[in-house]
Amino acid sequence: MYCGQKLSERIYWTGVYDRRKHLFENMWPLPEGVSYNSYLIKDEKCALMDTVESGSDRSYLDWLADTLEGRPLDYLVIHHMELDHSGEIENLIRQYPDVRIVGNAKTFRVLEAYFGKLPNLVEVKDGDTLSLGYHNLKFVFTPWVHWPETMMSYDTTDGVLFSGDAFGMFGATDGGVFDDQVDFARYESEMRRYYSNIVGKYSGMVQKALAKLSSARIGAICPLHGLVWRSDPARVIGLYDRWSRYEADDAAVVIYASMYGNTAQMADHVARRIAEAGVRDIRVYDVSKTHVSYLISEIWRCRGVLLGSCAYNTQMFPLMENLTRDLLHAGPKDRLLGVFGTYSWNGGGVKNLNAFAEQIGWETVAPSAEILGRPTCEKYAACDALADAMACRLKK
Ligand code: FEO
């Protein structure tokens, strides 16, 4: 007998936690694991909302069967075909061969690509509805949040939104499944890291999705990762709205690449000078020590961004180049930028950071600061000007 978690009389959380996996999409660190959420609506008809990653928890189908208590599974609704949610479809169909699979035309193209031609497909269009008895699902297409086929289901009876990847987060929660069972402050940074690295590139589409849902009375949000929002869904909607509009705190993040500590000294000098000017929220990171996903997340949070690189083979330091490439890919907007760095015999770090500044289109607050060799007091004038300009803009 499994300990089912109920959202309401007929809706069960049937998700799993994976604390063994190290990298989400084989790329993003998972120090606290990840959850794959799935939900069972046990109504006159029974509908499963998505599955979980294949093999993430071998008890998943047992748990589902236990929750169904011998009833047939009438529908599988697929909101998102990425394999962290669709991986168990094959096993599910083996166990419930008559289940009808609900998705849109794009869903079914991807479904066939992974699992071959499957029977019992029910294609829905944007705005179509499906009655389960008490609950009535309305399908809301939300393309690119996070794949092109992505859609949400809105239960018009109780205002429950099954939101796909939207409003999800990294991390397996510690005991609590619902937002009122945890202190969200502990999880917010992992939600922002998930947003900025997985969904953030599609922020324009997130805004479109939020606009589409704006007239809906949302009583609860059931995402495919992380907490289920039954008490304060407005809070997470507010965060998504803010992040997808690139709103940021009046904070500074200083990220540097340094081989022998010279550019690191510049970074600390700049950060101290900004602190002396009265900015309290400052973070300093060594790009060689902190995974790029955390850096992107900080850049999503901070309006002021200071990037420093030594020269490396006449280029930027490779890990800084990796960060800038990811930033161009993710495309956060409306940041203030400062650039600094060192060189020994020829430039490359600062020159290429300035090229990045042009490409990303952020406003640079002052000319870049570049030092030949060891940073000494008499070489810091440009750094001081950069720090002062950044502090002045952040305090405005
Ligand atoms: Fe959680 Fe885009 O998959």
Side-chain angles (χ1 to χ4, degrees):
M1 186 69 178
Y2 297 92
C3 302
Q5 297 284 322
K6 288 180 88 167
L7 172 69
S8 59
E9 194 184 332
R10 297 171 181 79
I11 301 178
Y12 296 74
W13 174 81
T14 51
V16 302
Y17 288 167
D18 186 346
R19 294 191 178 84
R20 301 181 102 187
K21 183 187 268 293
H22 287 278
L23 295 172
F24 183 75
E25 295 180 342
N26 211 16
M27 186 158 37
W28 314 106
L30 293 172
E32 298 185 81
V34 67
S35 71
Y36 306 113
N37 293 339
S38 156
Y39 304 89
L40 177 67
I41 304 178
K42 244 170 91 177
D43 206 329
E44 288 171 26
K45 298 286 183 188
C46 293
L48 183 68
M49 316 303 266
D50 300 290
T51 68
V52 300
E53 177 157 331
S54 179
S56 53
D57 186 333
R58 288 193 300 172
S59 64
Y60 172 69
L61 289 179
D62 294 342
W63 185 346
L64 180 63
D66 196 69
T67 312
L68 277 165
E69 295 179 300
R71 293 187 55 188
L73 182 64
D74 298 289
Y75 295 107
L76 164 68
V77 180
I78 302 176
H79 296 97
H80 182 23
M81 267 305 299
E82 191 167 2
L83 289 166
D84 50 334
H85 310 295
S86 65
E88 278 291 333
I89 286 179
E90 243 176 351
N91 290 330
L92 184 88
I93 291 172
R94 218 168 280 135
Q95 194 154 320
Y96 302 97
D98 297 326
V99 68
R100 279 167 281 178
I101 303 174
V102 179
N104 59 57
K106 287 181 182 164
T107 313
F108 292 151
R109 270 215 298 275
V110 187
L111 184 72
E112 184 176 339
Y114 282 109
F115 302 112
K117 266 201 183 311
L118 295 175
N120 305 325
L121 302 185
V122 180
E123 185 183 323
V124 295
K125 303 220 167 1
D126 193 18
D128 280 0
T129 57
L130 174 69
S131 176
L132 301 176
Y134 174 80
H135 290 289
N136 291 291
L137 300 177
K138 180 177 180 183
F139 301 105
V140 182
F141 286 17
T142 51
W144 294 107
V145 188
H146 142 234
W147 275 13
E149 90 300 1
T150 311
M151 66 180 193
M152 299 186 189
S153 295
Y154 174 66
D155 163 39
T156 54
T157 312
D158 285 349
V160 180
L161 180 69
F162 297 91
S163 64
D165 271 344
F167 312 112
M169 66 186 206
F170 290 132
T173 52
D174 300 326
V177 168
F178 302 103
D179 59 331
D180 50 82
Q181 295 176 323
V182 304
D183 177 4
F184 178 59
R186 156 143 167 48
Y187 299 105
E188 183 175 337
S189 62
E190 281 297 79
M191 177 175 273
R192 192 183 60 242
R193 189 166 70 93
Y194 181 87
Y195 179 83
S196 53
N197 288 280
I198 307 296
V199 183
K201 175 179 172 58
Y202 309 106
S203 288
M205 301 308 280
V206 172
Q207 277 292 309
K208 283 188 180 165
L210 291 176
K212 216 167 173 180
L213 294 164
S214 61
S215 60
R217 174 188 52 85
I218 295 177
I221 295 179
C222 298
L224 289 178
H225 299 284
L227 292 169
V228 181
W229 293 80
R230 68 179 176 188
S231 295
D232 193 7
R235 182 172 185 178
V236 72
I237 291 171
L239 283 175
Y240 255 58
D241 185 36
R242 183 172 152 79
W243 291 335
S244 57
R245 284 187 288 107
Y246 309 106
E247 273 190 18
D249 297 345
D250 291 330
V253 58
V254 183
I255 303 168
Y256 66 88
S258 185
M259 282 187 288
Y260 298 104
N262 294 309
T263 308
Q265 283 182 32
M266 287 180 83
D268 280 324
H269 180 90
V270 166
R272 276 187 215 117
R273 182 104 177 175
I274 294 173
E276 276 172 10
V279 176
R280 290 285 164 264
D281 191 348
I282 303 168
R283 297 281 188 282
V284 180
Y285 293 96
D286 180 341
V287 76
S288 297
K289 282 186 68 180
T290 305
H291 189 270
V292 66
S293 62
Y294 293 90
L295 304 176
I296 300 269
S297 179
E298 279 291 8
I299 288 169
W300 228 274
R301 186 182 75 82
C302 298
R303 198 155 65 89
V305 180
L306 295 117
L307 301 179
S309 179
C310 57
Y312 194 91
N313 290 338
T314 73
Q315 301 295 315
M316 269 186 255
F317 190 73
L319 294 173
M320 180 58 74
E321 195 169 3
N322 179 51
L323 169 63
T324 57
R325 196 202 55 228
D326 278 9
L327 282 171
L328 289 170
H329 183 73
K333 301 187 195 323
D334 304 330
R335 294 296 179 269
L336 302 170
L337 179 63
V339 165
F340 61 93
T342 58
Y343 66 106
S344 306
W345 44 275
N346 200 348
V350 167
K351 184 179 86 179
N352 285 290
L353 276 174
N354 280 327
F356 158 75
E358 291 217 354
Q359 275 182 286
I360 200 156
W362 297 345
E363 178 188 347
T364 46
V365 294
S368 51
E370 189 167 32
I371 289 178
L372 170 63
R374 196 161 65 102
T376 49
C377 287
E378 69 278 8
K379 298 181 185 174
Y380 270 130
C383 267
D384 292 346
L386 183 61
D388 293 350
M390 183 62 82
C392 178
R393 294 298 302 279
L394 292 177
K395 285 168 63 188
K396 259 188 188 159

